[in-house]
Amino acid sequence: DVKVTQSSRYLVKRTGEKVFLECVQDMDHENMFWYRQDPGLGLRLIYFSYDVKMKEKGDIPEGYSVSREKKERFSLILESASTNQTSMYLCASSLYTSGSKYEQYFGPGTRLTVT
Amino acid sequence: EDQVTQSPEALRLQEGESSSLNCSYTVSGLRGLFWYRQDPGKGPEFLFTLYSAGEEKEKERLKATLTKKESFLHITAPKPEDSATYLCAVSRQGAQKLVFGQGTRLTINP
């Protein structure tokens, strides 16, 4: 079974703090993704990575950065947290960039509250 | 721009009452359509991938079908444990990302 784990289930941070969210997958997947999920807005892609040290912006990258130093680990960084970044953050991974095996598998999510 | 619209937003059924959820999509060159189940406070759980019109996939009480414009998730004789939000997403040819719909919140009453 694919397993995607996220470092925290719940996190409370203050405005202006630097925040690190970590994601680890154990199935040697090539692609990893960070989404946020908000009521009424659905799932929105922040960043994704298709290889170590490679990254691409998603639909809403402003205020975020990412790091992928090892294949199994993908970190999301909020450089200076703001209240509008309060959200559920979801990490996902997928195996192939082409062919049939590219469904994404999600972690349990991190509920981040910025006060 | 790729778009996914799910209907209804919410659906309440009695246990055993079969129904269908709809996912309409607009995408330039469909690579795949995905169905996920999401329980409150948890990450989405992968259910199915459909690749081409006419394809069907089944898992327990769920069956997903695909046409050129929409997908249906049929739920046969549902049980209370099938209560969840069901998400539909599409991926276009040559793109990595998924575009998600807003989801259908399904409640099955005992």
Side-chain angles (χ1 to χ4, degrees):
Chain A
D1 273 358
V2 176
K3 187 138 189 196
V4 180
T5 57
Q6 294 184 229
S7 50
S8 306
R9 291 301 311 276
Y10 301 95
L11 209 52
V12 180
K13 295 291 181 181
R14 294 191 181 273
T15 301
E17 278 193 80
K18 191 168 186 175
V19 181
F20 293 86
L21 303 182
E22 295 214 321
C23 174
V24 177
Q25 50 93 4
D26 67 354
M27 289 301 293
D28 202 33
H29 281 182
E30 295 167 354
N31 306 313
M32 297 188 75
F33 306 81
W34 275 107
Y35 294 86
R36 64 178 283 178
Q37 186 175 31
D38 301 287
L41 296 175
L43 275 142
R44 293 178 291 167
L45 182 65
I46 304 171
Y47 267 98
F48 68 96
S49 168
Y50 50 90
D51 201 351
V52 174
K53 298 190 186 295
M54 305 301 287
K55 62 186 179 185
E56 281 198 29
K57 293 180 180 179
D59 299 317
I60 51 163
E62 296 79 18
Y64 303 94
S65 62
V66 291
S67 172
R68 193 170 181 196
E69 296 296 319
K70 292 185 177 182
K71 190 174 185 179
E72 68 270 19
R73 190 178 298 268
F74 192 34
S75 301
L76 180 69
I77 304 152
L78 286 66
E79 297 290 344
S80 177
S82 64
T83 55
N84 63 12
Q85 293 179 308
T86 291
S87 186
M88 170 72 102
Y89 289 87
L90 291 159
C91 176
S93 70
S94 68
L95 181 57
Y96 292 126
T97 56
S98 61
S100 61
K101 297 259 183 204
Y102 58 94
E103 53 264 12
Q104 294 181 20
Y105 294 89
F106 284 82
T110 295
R111 173 76 63 186
L112 173 68
T113 302
V114 182
T115 61
Chain B
E1 184 182 338
D2 301 337
Q3 280 195 316
V4 177
T5 304
Q6 292 187 246
S7 61
E9 285 186 22
L11 181 62
R12 190 177 291 270
L13 300 171
Q14 290 299 119
E15 184 172 0
E17 181 185 359
S18 302
S19 188
S20 297
L21 312 182
N22 178 263
C23 171
S24 297
Y25 64 91
T26 304
V27 64
S28 177
L30 179 73
R31 183 163 77 164
L33 184 140
F34 306 85
W35 282 98
Y36 289 85
R37 169 195 169 124
Q38 187 174 25
D39 293 303
K42 297 188 177 181
E45 174 191 346
F46 170 71
L47 293 173
F48 305 110
T49 309
L50 301 167
Y51 297 102
S52 57
E55 189 175 1
E56 298 183 353
K57 293 236 176 117
E58 284 189 67
K59 182 179 180 179
E60 296 181 356
R61 295 176 291 281
L62 300 176
K63 183 167 86 171
T65 61
L66 181 65
T67 73
K68 289 187 177 179
K69 293 183 178 179
E70 57 192 350
S71 177
F72 291 93
L73 185 65
H74 306 278
I75 301 175
T76 302
K79 299 182 178 182
E81 53 261 41
D82 294 321
S83 297
T85 295
Y86 290 85
L87 299 169
C88 172
V90 297
S91 174
R92 68 152 73 172
Q93 296 285 350
Q96 301 299 330
K97 71 175 192 176
L98 298 183
V99 176
F100 281 86
Q102 296 290 329
T104 293
R105 189 172 64 254
L106 177 66
T107 305
I108 309 298
N109 294 318

